[in-house]
Amino acid sequence: INVYVIRPASSTPMIDVLQYDPATGDIVNTTNLDFTNPTGSGIPPARTGVVAHVGGNSYLLTGNDNSMSVFAINTTTGALTHQSTINTNLPTSVFGSPTVYTAADGTVYVAYSNSTAEEFIVYRMGANGSMTETDRIAGQGDFLLGQASYLNGVPAVISVDPNNSVVRIFMIDN
């Protein structure tokens, strides 16, 4: 079992790749992705992360201020390979948050918001890790780290508007 630990606030922002053996209980740190030089690597430091499974492939999606990075996961070794970084064109914030949901037809969607934008973006994820923007919800107040979820089996975006003390729910159909 592969475990990905994101350390955004450390002096050296990293993603640690750990392998857990349920038979022995052993946990081994196999890899550290160092983000101390994001400009040189082209990969922004990760603040949050989520794993997505699509078309038999697995990906780690990480959020940063106003971008999201896609890493292919080698499911045997747990190794991560950076595939792309998507600029969301949202204002820079404390951190961004991708969440994943799967529609009834098997299509995988990634919802992204950050802690300052009044926008929420939905992407359709391809089996090769590609991202296609499908929706941009704006003008509905703050989306404080909105999350993709399900209500009665229907995909929805749930977010908090801290300025107006309300919770907003958007149902998403295909």
Side-chain angles (χ1 to χ4, degrees), residues 6-61:
I6 296 174
R7 294 189 284 157
S10 68
S11 60
T12 305
M14 289 189 165
I15 299 175
D16 296 324
V17 180
L18 310 175
Q19 287 192 326
Y20 169 68
D21 182 341
T24 64
D26 292 340
I27 297 175
V28 178
N29 187 346
T30 61
T31 310
N32 301 97
L33 294 178
D34 183 342
F35 293 106
T36 53
N37 184 12
T39 303
S41 68
I43 306 171
R47 305 269 188 240
T48 61
V50 64
V51 174
H53 305 284
V54 58
N57 298 314
S58 297
Y59 300 93
L60 176 66
L61 310 174

Side-chain angles (χ1 to χ4, degrees), residues 61 66-68 86-90 98-101 107-113 120-126 130-136:
L61 310 174
N66 58 358
S67 65
M68 179 172 49
I86 297 116
N87 182 345
T88 62
N89 295 314
L90 294 177
T99 57
V100 176
Y101 65 94
T107 303
V108 174
Y109 292 93
V110 177
Y112 182 90
S113 69
F120 197 88
I121 306 168
V122 178
Y123 298 91
R124 183 178 52 252
M125 187 170 191
S130 63
M131 296 284 202
T132 303
E133 185 176 320
T134 62
D135 293 291
R136 189 174 284 254

Side-chain angles (χ1 to χ4, degrees), residues 72-153:
I73 297 174
N74 178 317
T75 54
T76 303
T77 66
L80 299 174
T81 302
H82 179 253
Q83 284 198 216
S84 64
T85 296
I86 297 116
N87 182 345
T88 62
N89 295 314
L90 294 177
T92 299
S93 72
V94 178
F95 55 90
S97 176
T99 57
V100 176
Y101 65 94
T102 304
D105 67 359
T107 303
V108 174
Y109 292 93
V110 177
Y112 182 90
S113 69
N114 68 19
S115 59
T116 58
E118 292 187 6
E119 291 184 66
F120 197 88
I121 306 168
V122 178
Y123 298 91
R124 183 178 52 252
M125 187 170 191
N128 63 356
S130 63
M131 296 284 202
T132 303
E133 185 176 320
T134 62
D135 293 291
R136 189 174 284 254
I137 302 167
Q140 303 290 321
D142 285 342
F143 288 96
L144 182 60
L145 298 178
Q147 298 290 307
S149 188
Y150 299 90
L151 295 175
N152 295 324

